[in-house]
Coordinates of all heavy atoms in Angstrom, one line a residue:
H993 N 11.3 -3.7 -8.6 CA 10.3 -2.8 -9.1 C 9.5 -2.4 -7.9 O 9.1 -3.2 -7.1 CB 9.4 -3.5 -10.1 CG 8.2 -2.6 -10.5 ND1 8.4 -1.5 -11.3 CD2 6.9 -2.7 -10.2 CE1 7.2 -1.0 -11.5 NE2 6.3 -1.7 -10.8
V994 N 9.2 -1.1 -7.7 CA 8.3 -0.6 -6.7 C 7.0 -0.2 -7.3 O 7.0 0.8 -8.0 CB 9.0 0.6 -6.0 CG1 8.1 1.2 -4.9 CG2 10.3 0.3 -5.4
P995 N 6.0 -0.9 -7.2 CA 4.7 -0.6 -7.9 C 4.0 0.6 -7.4 O 3.3 1.2 -8.2 CB 3.8 -1.9 -7.6 CG 4.5 -2.7 -6.7 CD 5.9 -2.2 -6.4
N996 N 4.3 1.1 -6.2 CA 3.7 2.3 -5.7 C 4.7 3.4 -5.9 O 5.8 3.4 -5.3 CB 3.4 2.2 -4.2 CG 2.7 3.4 -3.6 OD1 3.0 4.5 -4.1 ND2 1.9 3.2 -2.6
S997 N 4.4 4.4 -6.7 CA 5.3 5.5 -7.0 C 5.4 6.6 -6.0 O 6.1 7.6 -6.1 CB 5.0 6.1 -8.4 OG 3.7 6.7 -8.3
G998 N 4.6 6.4 -4.9 CA 4.5 7.4 -3.8 C 5.9 7.5 -3.1 O 6.8 6.7 -3.3
R999 N 6.0 8.5 -2.3 CA 7.3 8.7 -1.6 C 7.7 7.6 -0.7 O 8.8 7.2 -0.6 CB 7.3 10.0 -1.0 CG 7.2 11.2 -2.0 CD 7.3 12.5 -1.3 NE 8.4 12.6 -0.4 CZ 8.8 13.6 0.2 NH1 8.1 14.7 0.0 NH2 9.9 13.6 1.0
L1000 N 6.8 7.1 0.1 CA 7.0 6.0 1.1 C 8.2 6.3 2.0 O 8.9 5.4 2.5 CB 7.2 4.7 0.4 CG 6.1 4.2 -0.5 CD1 6.5 3.0 -1.3 CD2 4.9 3.9 0.3
A1001 N 8.5 7.6 2.2 CA 9.7 7.9 3.0 C 9.7 7.4 4.4 O 10.7 7.1 5.0 CB 9.9 9.4 3.0
D1002 N 8.5 7.3 5.0 CA 8.4 6.7 6.4 C 8.6 5.2 6.4 O 8.8 4.7 7.5 CB 7.0 7.1 7.0 CG 6.8 8.6 7.2 OD1 7.9 9.3 7.3 OD2 5.7 9.1 7.2
L1003 N 8.4 4.5 5.3 CA 8.4 3.1 5.3 C 9.8 2.5 4.8 O 10.3 1.5 5.3 CB 7.3 2.5 4.5 CG 5.9 2.8 5.0 CD1 4.9 2.3 4.0 CD2 5.6 2.3 6.4
L1004 N 10.3 3.2 3.8 CA 11.5 2.6 3.1 C 12.7 3.3 3.7 O 13.3 4.2 3.1 CB 11.4 2.9 1.6 CG 10.3 2.1 0.9 CD1 10.2 2.4 -0.6 CD2 10.4 0.6 1.1
N1005 N 13.2 2.7 4.8 CA 14.4 3.1 5.4 C 15.4 2.1 5.2 O 15.1 0.9 5.2 CB 14.2 3.3 7.0 CG 13.2 4.4 7.2 OD1 13.2 5.5 6.6 ND2 12.2 4.2 8.1
P1006 N 16.7 2.5 5.1 CA 17.8 1.5 4.9 C 17.8 0.4 5.9 O 17.6 0.6 7.1 CB 19.1 2.3 5.0 CG 18.6 3.7 4.6 CD 17.2 3.8 5.1
H1007 N 18.0 -0.8 5.4 CA 18.0 -2.1 6.2 C 16.7 -2.5 6.8 O 16.7 -3.5 7.6 CB 19.1 -2.0 7.3 CG 20.5 -1.6 6.7 ND1 21.2 -2.5 5.9 CD2 21.1 -0.5 6.7 CE1 22.3 -1.9 5.5 NE2 22.3 -0.6 6.0
R1008 N 15.6 -1.9 6.4 CA 14.3 -2.4 6.8 C 13.9 -3.6 6.0 O 14.1 -3.7 4.8 CB 13.3 -1.3 6.6 CG 11.9 -1.7 7.1 CD 10.9 -0.6 7.1 NE 11.3 0.2 8.2 CZ 10.4 0.8 9.0 NH1 9.1 0.7 8.7 NH2 10.7 1.5 10.0
P1009 N 13.4 -4.7 6.7 CA 12.9 -5.9 6.0 C 11.8 -5.5 5.0 O 10.9 -4.7 5.3 CB 12.4 -6.8 7.1 CG 12.8 -6.2 8.4 CD 13.1 -4.8 8.2
V1010 N 11.8 -6.2 3.9 CA 10.8 -6.0 2.9 C 10.5 -7.4 2.3 O 11.3 -8.3 2.4 CB 11.2 -5.1 1.7 CG1 11.3 -3.6 2.2 CG2 12.5 -5.5 1.0
W1011 N 9.2 -7.6 1.8 CA 8.8 -8.9 1.3 C 8.6 -8.7 -0.2 O 7.9 -7.8 -0.6 CB 7.5 -9.4 2.0 CG 7.8 -9.8 3.3 CD1 7.6 -9.0 4.5 CD2 8.4 -11.0 3.8 NE1 8.0 -9.7 5.6 CE2 8.5 -11.0 5.2 CE3 8.8 -12.2 3.1 CZ2 9.0 -12.0 6.0 CZ3 9.3 -13.2 3.9 CH2 9.4 -13.1 5.3
L1012 N 9.2 -9.5 -1.0 CA 9.2 -9.4 -2.4 C 8.5 -10.5 -3.1 O 8.6 -11.7 -2.7 CB 10.7 -9.3 -2.9 CG 11.6 -8.3 -2.2 CD1 13.0 -8.6 -2.4 CD2 11.3 -6.9 -2.8
A1013 N 7.8 -10.2 -4.2 CA 7.1 -11.2 -5.0 C 8.0 -11.3 -6.3 O 8.3 -10.3 -7.0 CB 5.7 -10.7 -5.3
P1014 N 8.3 -12.6 -6.7 CA 9.0 -12.8 -7.9 C 8.2 -12.3 -9.1 O 7.0 -12.5 -9.2 CB 9.2 -14.3 -8.0 CG 8.9 -14.8 -6.6 CD 8.0 -13.8 -6.0
G1015 N 8.8 -11.7 -10.1 CA 8.2 -11.3 -11.3 C 8.6 -12.3 -12.4 O 9.8 -12.5 -12.7
A1016 N 7.6 -13.0 -13.1 CA 7.9 -14.1 -14.0 C 8.0 -13.7 -15.4 O 8.5 -14.4 -16.3 CB 6.9 -15.1 -13.8
A1017 N 7.6 -12.5 -15.8 CA 7.6 -12.1 -17.2 C 9.0 -12.0 -17.8 O 9.8 -11.3 -17.2 CB 6.8 -10.8 -17.4
P1018 N 9.2 -12.5 -18.9 CA 10.6 -12.5 -19.5 C 11.1 -11.1 -19.9 O 12.3 -10.9 -20.0 CB 10.5 -13.5 -20.7 CG 9.1 -13.5 -21.0 CD 8.3 -13.3 -19.8
H1019 N 10.2 -10.2 -20.2 CA 10.6 -8.9 -20.7 C 10.9 -7.9 -19.5 O 11.4 -6.8 -19.8 CB 9.5 -8.3 -21.5 CG 8.2 -8.0 -20.7 ND1 7.3 -9.0 -20.4 CD2 7.8 -6.9 -20.2 CE1 6.3 -8.5 -19.7 NE2 6.6 -7.2 -19.6
R1020 N 10.8 -8.3 -18.3 CA 11.0 -7.4 -17.2 C 12.5 -7.1 -17.0 O 13.4 -7.9 -17.3 CB 10.6 -8.1 -15.9 CG 9.1 -8.3 -15.7 CD 8.8 -9.1 -14.5 NE 9.4 -8.4 -13.3 CZ 8.6 -7.7 -12.4 NH1 7.3 -7.7 -12.5 NH2 9.2 -7.2 -11.4
K1021 N 12.8 -5.9 -16.5 CA 14.1 -5.4 -16.2 C 14.5 -5.8 -14.8 O 15.7 -5.8 -14.5 CB 14.2 -3.9 -16.3 CG 14.1 -3.5 -17.8 CD 14.2 -2.0 -17.9 CE 14.1 -1.5 -19.3 NZ 14.2 -0.1 -19.5
T1022 N 13.5 -6.1 -13.9 CA 13.8 -6.5 -12.5 C 13.1 -7.9 -12.3 O 12.1 -8.2 -12.9 CB 13.3 -5.5 -11.5 OG1 11.9 -5.4 -11.7 CG2 13.9 -4.1 -11.7
A1023 N 13.7 -8.6 -11.3 CA 13.2 -10.0 -11.1 C 12.1 -10.0 -10.0 O 11.5 -11.0 -9.8 CB 14.3 -10.9 -10.7
Y1024 N 11.9 -8.9 -9.3 CA 11.0 -8.9 -8.1 C 10.2 -7.6 -8.1 O 10.6 -6.5 -8.5 CB 11.8 -9.0 -6.8 CG 12.6 -10.2 -6.7 CD1 14.0 -10.2 -7.0 CD2 12.1 -11.4 -6.2 CE1 14.7 -11.3 -6.9 CE2 12.8 -12.5 -6.1 CZ 14.2 -12.5 -6.4 OH 14.9 -13.7 -6.3

C-alpha cells in the first residue's frame, strides 16, 4: 500500500530501496 497518492515520480524509480512497515490488520489486501 502506498499511503501517499501523489505522483512521487522523482522518488519511486525501479530498483530504488524502500522501507516498509508491516500492516497488521486482518482485512488488508496488502501486508505492508
Side-chain angles (χ1 to χ4, degrees):
H993 175 71
V994 179
N996 182 330
S997 65
R999 291 184 53 175
L1000 300 174
D1002 293 336
L1003 300 175
L1004 295 178
N1005 297 316
H1007 305 289
R1008 180 169 285 220
V1010 292
W1011 291 98
L1012 307 160
H1019 67 280
R1020 291 176 56 108
K1021 293 181 180 179
T1022 61
Y1024 301 97

